Amino acid sequence: MSKNKNSHVSETPATQLLRANLVAFTEHPYEYLEHGGAQHSAAVLGLDPFTVVKTLVMQDQDARPLIVLMHGNRTVSTKNLARQIGAKSVEPCKPEVAQRHSGYMVGGTSPFGTRRQMPVYIESTILELPRIAINGGRRGYLVGIGPQVCVALLGATPVQCALAE
């Protein structure tokens, strides 16, 4: 299958990490929309938003960063998450702080190849899906992988903290 030159997206720290670990992935570039989020990318790529996984950089009460992987059409119950990970509280990081921790622009954050190692938590039902689409390290670029890759490469811990949007 020949690759269309225009559709190939240049390497990111995320794709470098996936390739280095021999993870097969599909590339899904799309027209990025400011604040469009996973719902927008799912719509333009014709994907179920439940299978498009958001990478959220959050922090605990001591400002220690962590990553939460959540279904595109769900939100995180920070109270439930904090209880499950033994934190007093969890809140989203400010965009500039998230960017500093991850090394990625907000809207293009991948859990793979982050600047700083952070604990990763994954909504447990994501692991039941056959494939997921997750940010590949830049705005307007998702990669398709098996969800178990998040556990194998990131040591992601399953949690139950999803709330319907």
Side-chain angles (χ1 to χ4, degrees), residues 29-96:
Y30 66 95
E31 196 67 42
Y32 177 76
L33 175 70
E34 195 77 36
H35 306 298
Q39 296 276 25
H40 168 72
S41 57
V44 297
L45 292 169
L47 300 170
D48 177 347
F50 193 71
T51 68
V52 175
V53 175
K54 303 188 272 201
T55 303
L56 305 166
V57 182
M58 299 196 165
Q59 62 186 21
D60 68 10
Q61 68 283 348
D62 300 319
R64 282 189 300 247
L66 56 108
I67 287 177
V68 183
L69 302 178
M70 182 53 72
H71 296 285
N73 56 358
R74 299 286 185 273
T75 54
V76 174
S77 163
T78 52
K79 200 159 58 178
N80 286 350
L81 178 63
R83 195 172 56 241
Q84 289 177 57
I85 68 172
K88 284 191 187 77
S89 66
V90 173
E91 63 182 10
C93 286
K94 288 186 171 66
E96 61 277 11

Side-chain angles (χ1 to χ4, degrees), residues 14-163:
T15 56
Q16 287 170 349
L17 181 76
L18 292 173
R19 287 187 213 285
N21 286 278
L22 306 177
V23 173
F25 62 91
T26 53
E27 299 182 284
H28 306 275
Y30 66 95
E31 196 67 42
Y32 177 76
L33 175 70
E34 195 77 36
H35 306 298
Q39 296 276 25
H40 168 72
S41 57
V44 297
L45 292 169
L47 300 170
D48 177 347
F50 193 71
T51 68
V52 175
V53 175
K54 303 188 272 201
T55 303
L56 305 166
V57 182
M58 299 196 165
Q59 62 186 21
D60 68 10
Q61 68 283 348
D62 300 319
R64 282 189 300 247
L66 56 108
I67 287 177
V68 183
L69 302 178
M70 182 53 72
H71 296 285
N73 56 358
R74 299 286 185 273
T75 54
V76 174
S77 163
T78 52
K79 200 159 58 178
N80 286 350
L81 178 63
R83 195 172 56 241
Q84 289 177 57
I85 68 172
K88 284 191 187 77
S89 66
V90 173
E91 63 182 10
C93 286
K94 288 186 171 66
E96 61 277 11
V97 175
Q99 211 159 300
R100 203 168 55 239
H101 291 317
S102 72
Y104 292 115
M105 282 177 75
V106 170
T109 306
S110 178
F112 302 106
T114 53
R115 179 177 293 157
R116 181 175 175 177
Q117 286 266 224
M118 295 174 266
V120 178
Y121 299 94
I122 186 167
E123 182 61 27
S124 62
T125 46
I126 292 171
L127 297 171
E128 297 163 14
L129 297 167
R131 303 253 325 148
I132 58 171
I134 196 163
N135 198 286
R138 77 162 35 92
R139 290 174 167 185
Y141 179 55
L142 300 183
V143 292
I145 56 171
Q148 295 300 332
V149 171
C150 300
V151 177
L153 291 190
L154 305 171
T157 303
V159 290
Q160 287 92 39
C161 61
L163 295 172

